[in-house]
Amino acid sequence: VIPYAEFFERLDEGERPARLAGTIVAKREQRSQRGNPFAFLTLSDQSGEYEVTLFSELLSAHRELLEPGNLVVMNVTGKLDRERPRLTAQSLQGVDKLADAAMGGLRVFVADAKPLASLHDRLKSAGQGKGYVHLVLKGRDHCKEVEIRIPGAYATGPRVRGALTAISGVLEVQEC
């Protein structure tokens, strides 16, 4: 992923690919002469604001993600057209989904069995991922720990970690 300003400096009249990340600032949908929907997304990164065109297939596949405030990473092609940048999205993904894929696993510390049902529900509702979860029973009155790896692969990104931390009876959540 590169900053938009760096990509803009490389643009010329030939098409160039790049991977950009940004926060969606605005979305403006329109229809082509054939009636196909497309959208102009205004995004912002640390180097400035830029606009990307999204055609119908990507628009319909990722409509729920295309709301102001959401962070996305996209593969684009870009070129200069009469000195103006023209960027077209080729693929896109939410940053949360990328974070879930990049996470290794979590260690969830509990003192007793009370939060286990809530932990199960939260992990199940977060969906499958590539991460693993270790459940650590940490006694308050003794120094022994029992660690159990929960079978399966889970989404373990920042949102899931925060949701698990908020469960009553969870002492701590660590990345591992």
Side-chain angles (χ1 to χ4, degrees):
V1 175
I2 62 171
Y4 169 71
E6 184 179 322
F7 181 55
F8 179 71
E9 288 175 13
R10 296 181 195 170
L11 286 180
D12 55 25
E13 292 176 6
E15 274 197 353
R16 296 194 178 271
R19 189 164 170 89
L20 304 174
T23 302
I24 298 174
V25 176
K27 175 180 72 171
R28 191 181 63 208
E29 288 192 43
Q30 295 182 348
R31 292 209 172 264
S32 70
Q33 290 177 339
R34 294 182 178 173
N36 296 325
F38 67 98
F40 294 106
L41 289 181
T42 303
L43 295 111
S44 175
D45 70 7
Q46 71 275 16
S47 67
E49 280 192 1
Y50 56 98
E51 187 174 82
V52 177
T53 304
L54 213 72
F55 289 110
S56 61
E57 286 182 22
L58 281 179
L59 179 61
S60 63
H62 298 287
R63 189 172 295 281
E64 76 287 345
L65 185 61
L66 303 175
E67 296 299 324
N70 285 342
L71 298 162
V72 295
V73 175
M74 56 178 103
N75 291 320
V76 301
T77 55
K79 66 179 181 177
L80 285 180
D81 182 14
R82 296 185 199 129
E83 303 297 318
R84 293 192 57 208
R86 300 280 183 200
L87 303 171
T88 304
Q90 304 301 315
S91 67
L92 88 123
Q93 215 174 3
V95 169
D96 288 340
K97 198 165 214 155
L98 285 171
D100 285 341
M103 294 292 296
L106 298 175
R107 293 179 80 211
V108 181
F109 293 83
V110 296
D112 53 40
K114 291 176 187 168
L116 295 183
S118 296
L119 280 167
H120 177 264
D121 292 344
R122 296 269 170 92
L123 287 170
K124 189 175 178 183
S125 69
Q128 283 193 313
K130 295 182 179 179
Y132 53 89
V133 176
H134 288 269
L135 184 61
V136 182
L137 180 60
K138 187 173 185 175
R140 292 182 181 168
D141 300 330
H142 52 82
C143 295
K144 294 183 181 179
E145 291 183 5
V146 176
E147 186 168 333
I148 303 166
R149 181 170 175 166
I150 301 173
Y154 302 92
T156 56
R159 282 192 182 167
V160 174
R161 196 170 56 245
L164 296 180
T165 302
I167 294 172
S168 178
V170 171
L171 303 173
E172 184 180 358
V173 179
Q174 297 176 347
E175 292 179 33
C176 56

